[in-house]
Every structure is written in C-alpha cells, then in structure tokens.
Amino acid sequence: MHNITSNKEKYHFFIGNVLDNEEQFRMLKNIQKKLVKKYRLKEYHWNNKLYTNFIYLGYMDNNTASLYMDNMMSNLLGAISEQFHKLTCKYTNYKIESDKSFHKVSLKLIDTENKIINIIVQYLHKYGILPIYPTRKDILKPSIDLVYYKNSSIIGDDKEAIKIQVPSMEFTIDHLSLIKGTPIKVRSGAPSLHDQMHYEEVHKYTFPLLD
C-alpha cells in the first residue's frame, strides 16, 4: 500500500484505472512496438504502465492530493462504487494529439453502455473539478496513451495516419483509483503531461465497482 505523506515534491495526479490484465498489457505493448517501427517514430518514449485517465486532478504535492481526496473526491468515487457495476470496455480508434514538445498516440475506448463519458466523467468533472478549477472546461474522453514522439517522416500532420488494426479484445474496468505520475527526468520549465513518467495507483484511494 502506498501511503501519501506531506512533502514539497510535486506529481501529476489522475483518477482512472491502471490496466492489470497481462494479456491486455502484452497486446498493447506489441502495438507500441509496431507504432515505433511502422511509422519511424523519433525520440519516442512511453510510460511504465498503461492506464485509463478519467479525470486529471492537477500537479501538486502529496499532502495537497491527500486533502483533495479526503475532502472531496473520495466521497464522489465512493458514490460511484456503490452504484456502478464493472465496466465492459472496447477500443474504438487511434488518436494523435500534439503540443509544442511532443506528439502523442493514444487508443480511444468506450464502455458498452457509454456510462464512462455520459455519466461518470461528467459527474466527477462537475462536482470534483469545477468547484476547485472553475475555468477548466475540457472534459476528457477516456483513452490509453501508447507512445510519445518528437517526429515521424511518415505521419507528418496527418491525424488519421495510424492504420494498425484496432484491437477487438474487450476488457473490464473493475475499480477506479487515484493515480500518481512521477516524472522520470527533472527538467526546467513548466511540467508537462508528455514527460516520461512512472505511474502507480495509490491503493489507499481505490474504489472497487460492483460485481
């Protein structure tokens, strides 16, 4: 169990689910390798774990994250865990996003009843994000980040360039938890979600869904 204690170091915190199914993990790691080879990705990296990101809480120290969870988010997640059954999910298509430093390839997903995007994410955003960050309007569409890269001579500016077959294998999300992202390299300037990170679930804040 990972305990949150007060310190001055900051980390990225999310609400989501780390994939723990070995078959799924191996399949997605194989896609990562195909992406690098087929599209000649340069200066690429990926993170130690694959996870679904429902809500981004922010860049904060452990103590602030603990206060956020104890005073607001845990109550919301507890309500979700008491009302929602495990979510059967499937992959839909690839997505390429870019900022000033990196491009990111992710794999979009939906659950079979669209409860994630239509209910759960909306609920967490309205009652868990807007009271703290009233100007944050963007609502995430759940996906799994596969690889970050600087450039590709094949993809270029084509946001629909990925032609690798979308996996047909379904998977289950059986809990939501606080996820902590620790940047692997310390650098100057503003923190970026595109930095290579070490992710871990904070087990103190894990909320199982109904069977």
Side-chain angles (χ1 to χ4, degrees):
M1 179 175 293
H2 303 287
N3 294 318
I4 288 187
T5 57
S6 177
N7 62 45
K8 295 181 180 180
E9 295 182 1
K10 291 187 176 181
Y11 311 89
H12 295 282
F13 287 95
F14 310 82
I15 300 298
N17 175 271
V18 171
L19 296 184
D20 57 6
N21 181 284
E22 285 296 327
E23 187 177 10
Q24 287 285 334
F25 187 78
R26 288 195 300 270
M27 179 268 294
L28 294 175
K29 295 299 287 184
N30 186 51
I31 291 176
Q32 287 177 325
K33 295 175 183 177
K34 286 181 179 179
L35 287 167
V36 170
K37 183 176 181 180
K38 183 173 182 177
Y39 297 102
R40 300 177 187 172
L41 305 185
K42 303 298 182 183
E43 297 184 61
Y44 65 89
H45 68 262
W46 49 63
N47 303 310
N48 65 312
K49 292 185 181 295
L50 295 162
Y51 70 99
T52 60
N53 176 8
F54 286 23
I55 292 288
Y56 177 59
L57 297 187
Y59 185 64
M60 61 191 75
D61 60 46
N62 282 328
N63 188 56
T64 303
S66 183
L67 290 171
Y68 199 160
M69 294 300 296
D70 291 341
N71 291 293
M72 179 174 288
M73 197 60 70
S74 289
N75 290 334
L76 302 178
L77 291 167
I80 290 171
S81 71
E82 293 173 356
Q83 297 182 43
F84 287 86
H85 290 269
K86 296 177 181 178
L87 301 162
T88 300
C89 302
K90 62 181 180 180
Y91 302 106
T92 56
N93 60 334
Y94 294 96
K95 176 175 64 174
I96 301 176
E97 297 176 289
S98 303
D99 66 10
K100 295 180 180 180
S101 57
F102 278 98
H103 308 282
K104 176 181 72 174
V105 180
S106 56
L107 191 53
K108 297 170 67 175
L109 62 97
I110 58 171
D111 62 288
T112 53
E113 298 181 357
N114 281 320
K115 291 180 179 178
I116 296 175
I117 189 63
N118 290 336
I119 302 176
I120 296 176
V121 171
Q122 299 283 345
Y123 174 70
L124 292 174
H125 182 79
K126 181 176 181 179
Y127 296 106
I129 298 298
L130 291 182
I132 306 298
Y133 306 105
T135 61
R136 188 187 293 178
K137 302 303 181 183
D138 292 339
I139 297 179
L140 296 175
K141 294 184 178 180
S143 60
I144 296 176
D145 297 345
L146 294 175
V147 62
Y148 303 85
Y149 64 96
K150 282 286 189 180
N151 57 71
S152 163
S153 59
I154 297 176
I155 294 177
D157 295 326
D158 184 1
K159 301 303 181 183
E160 307 294 329
I162 306 301
K163 304 302 180 184
I164 296 173
Q165 184 175 355
V166 174
S168 59
M169 186 186 305
E170 292 186 341
F171 64 99
T172 300
I173 292 177
D174 61 3
H175 70 278
L176 298 180
S177 64
L178 179 65
I179 300 173
K180 175 181 175 179
T182 305
I184 291 178
K185 293 182 179 179
V186 178
R187 65 179 180 85
S188 60
S192 172
L193 291 174
H194 288 182
D195 290 339
Q196 188 174 22
M197 282 189 269
H198 175 88
Y199 285 105
E200 59 182 317
E201 285 190 317
V202 183
H203 297 304
K204 177 182 178 181
Y205 298 112
T206 297
F207 301 83
L209 301 177
L210 297 171
D211 290 327

